Amino acid sequence: MTRRFPLNVCALTIAALFTSTAVFAKTYTASEQANRIAQETIIVDGHIDVPYRVKNRWVDVTKATEDGDFDYPRAVKGGLNAPFMSIYVPASLDNSPESTQLAHQLIDSVEAIVARAPDKFAIAKSPSDVKAQFEAGLISLPMGMENGSPIQGSLDNLKAFYQRGIRYITLAHSQANHISDSSYDLRRKWKGLSPFGKQLVTEMNNIGIMLDISHVSDDAFYQVVEITKVPVIASHSSLRKFTPGFERNMNDDMIKALGENGGVIMINFGSSFVDKAAGQWRKGLTAARKALIAEEGEDSPNLENFEATYREKVPYPYSTLDQVLDHIDHVVELIGIEHVGIGSDYDGVGDSLPIGLKDVASFPNLVQGLLDRGYSRQDIEKILSGNLLRVWQQVEDYAAKHSA
């Protein structure tokens, strides 16, 4: 049967074709200087989804892998030595024991990576761990929890996850949970944070866990920065200036509030986070699928491999390294070099990564791009790790004073 797409996506088709052919014309090559900086500098990536990747389809990332965005050889090549392992729990598991159980299982998987290759990896629970392990030639694996659902309203669970190495918590994910509203959830159940969520902000400050405001609604963000006594992070978010209407990203007023808080936004590499064309393409895909279902029904054989077929007709408009750099530039222009970092979302955004930043071996390309735009080595080191390590240390110091 011939596969058809509705006429109302033709404009998107033409735009995507022009965008796609334009970006593929450029290649990125890192200089010896860029490679040297990448190898000599601690690189912290705020968000990599290896644990959920190996849960869905196990591979040994201590060795080279055929798919995915992360493995040990590619991390070494790119100079990546402190990727935060995302302990991601789907929103559908909120208010269930399975949520907490899954989080512990994913932490187990990170510990298993280290156990298989202690000469390559080590768990990191503090900035000092990251620095010492860098000097020892090990890749640090700090952990952040994506979605606070596993806490299940229990401060005992919060303490247990801290003991196991969780050092930031993304308060919500794709739906409102018992802590916070989500930027993706139109219901706005709590109009920001729940009563427990407000209590949790203070408890996370006191115990020494960074607050991650990626994914939360705008109201929740402002409530967090009002309550917290320490800087917060956005572990994998980009800028709404370049993606109008995409609330998952942060607008300029939020960026300024983050700067006043002393926090850091860590730029997400996913094309839909970087450029509005990718988001429009996704809307076109959804519209075409709905149109096909309306015409042929839910059982249509044309729904099999629908996205792959759609991509053949409407090439995906990948963003570029240069556009990622535009996000970094804009943060620096708004609030200064001290407030931007890297949160790639590798292994979490599928086949949507920018040209020039396709996997963890690509960090020298990012360094080269920063050099080409006039950033000094000192400023590049702040972006690659210094800013995040500064916030992490401030959070630790506050908790230590509180416990004392």
Side-chain angles (χ1 to χ4, degrees):
M1 183 180 291
T2 303
R3 290 172 169 82
R4 298 184 296 277
F5 299 106
L7 291 175
N8 62 5
V9 299
C10 284
L12 284 175
T13 303
I14 294 170
L17 282 168
F18 278 107
T19 303
S20 178
T21 54
V23 297
F24 274 108
K26 182 165 184 176
T27 58
Y28 296 92
T29 303
S31 65
E32 180 181 346
Q33 179 188 14
N35 277 289
R36 185 172 62 253
I37 291 173
Q39 294 297 324
E40 294 175 355
T41 304
I42 295 174
I43 299 180
V44 173
D45 189 319
H47 191 95
I48 294 187
D49 278 292
V50 167
Y52 209 78
R53 170 191 167 196
V54 300
K55 170 190 175 295
N56 285 338
R57 182 173 176 269
W58 190 86
V59 290
D60 187 354
V61 296
T62 70
K63 303 175 182 177
T65 60
E66 294 181 359
D67 59 2
D69 309 323
F70 175 94
D71 57 39
Y72 179 75
R74 283 183 284 175
V76 170
K77 181 178 179 181
L80 175 62
N81 34 52
F84 269 84
M85 296 286 99
S86 172
I87 306 304
Y88 162 66
V89 175
S92 59
L93 296 181
D94 195 32
N95 298 319
S96 72
E98 289 82 4
S99 176
T100 306
Q101 179 180 355
L102 175 58
H104 282 296
Q105 289 172 340
L106 295 177
I107 295 171
D108 289 345
S109 74
V110 178
E111 292 176 344
I113 291 171
V114 173
R116 285 197 303 277
D119 58 328
K120 299 175 181 176
F121 295 103
I123 300 293
K125 296 184 178 182
S126 67
S128 59
D129 283 349
V130 170
K131 294 171 183 177
Q133 289 158 9
F134 174 71
E135 293 298 326
L138 297 171
I139 293 179
S140 294
L141 298 182
M143 289 181 283
M145 180 182 289
E146 185 178 24
N147 189 6
S149 171
I151 297 169
Q152 293 301 315
S154 167
L155 297 182
D156 286 339
N157 280 337
L158 179 70
K159 294 173 185 175
F161 284 122
Y162 176 82
Q163 291 298 324
R164 295 209 66 189
I166 294 297
R167 288 302 181 265
Y168 75 68
I169 296 176
T170 317
L171 299 182
H173 192 251
S174 58
Q175 297 176 17
N177 59 17
H178 70 290
I179 298 168
S180 173
D181 288 335
S182 163
S183 61
Y184 288 119
D185 193 335
L186 298 180
R187 293 172 296 174
R188 299 301 191 253
K189 177 179 180 180
W190 302 111
K191 294 181 173 56
L193 298 174
S194 72
F196 176 74
K198 293 174 182 178
Q199 178 188 6
L200 185 67
V201 171
T202 298
E203 292 300 326
M204 287 174 62
N205 283 178
N206 292 344
I207 199 173
I209 298 178
M210 290 180 282
L211 288 148
D212 177 19
I213 51 74
S214 291
H215 281 285
V216 304
S217 69
D218 290 8
D219 286 342
F221 163 78
Y222 283 111
Q223 289 169 20
V224 168
V225 296
E226 181 180 355
I227 296 169
T228 184
K229 303 299 183 184
V230 293
V232 305
I233 65 169
S235 70
H236 59 305
S237 295
S238 298
L239 308 187
R240 211 176 297 173
K241 170 183 170 64
F242 301 98
T243 58
F246 185 35
E247 190 176 338
R248 171 65 179 81
N249 277 346
M250 299 177 68
N251 65 31
D252 283 5
D253 287 340
M254 296 168 75
I255 299 297
K256 291 174 183 176
L258 184 77
E260 292 173 2
N261 162 265
V264 177
I265 177 171
M266 309 182 79
I267 301 301
N268 190 313
F269 291 173
S271 287
S272 62
F273 290 81
V274 174
D275 181 34
K276 65 182 180 180
Q280 291 172 338
W281 182 93
R282 184 64 59 180
K283 291 178 181 178
L285 170 70
T286 301
R289 192 176 190 279
K290 288 180 178 178
L292 181 62
I293 291 172
E295 182 180 352
E296 300 181 5
E298 293 278 1
D299 298 328
S300 170
N302 288 330
L303 291 173
E304 186 178 354
N305 299 319
F306 181 81
E307 180 169 337
T309 303
Y310 186 82
R311 282 177 180 261
E312 291 176 4
K313 293 180 176 290
V314 188
Y316 185 79
Y318 291 101
S319 63
T320 66
L321 167 58
D322 288 296
Q323 290 173 305
V324 172
L325 294 169
D326 290 343
H327 285 250
I328 294 173
D329 284 349
H330 190 63
V331 176
V332 173
E333 290 165 4
L334 277 178
I335 58 174
I337 191 69
E338 293 81 10
H339 303 286
V340 63
I342 302 302
S344 66
D345 215 348
Y346 280 133
D347 279 329
V349 290
D351 181 23
S352 74
L353 290 161
I355 307 302
L357 291 171
K358 288 298 185 183
D359 62 19
V360 296
S362 304
F363 282 104
N365 291 347
L366 180 72
V367 174
Q368 185 63 56
L370 292 167
L371 288 169
D372 291 344
R373 294 198 178 197
Y375 286 88
S376 68
R377 175 160 183 167
Q378 182 180 20
D379 285 346
I380 292 171
E381 290 173 352
K382 289 180 180 180
I383 294 169
L384 294 181
S385 62
N387 293 333
L388 184 281
L389 292 176
R390 184 254 310 164
V391 169
W392 192 358
Q393 189 63 58
Q394 287 178 277
V395 170
E396 275 205 347
D397 291 346
Y398 179 89
K401 287 181 180 179
H402 178 82
S403 62

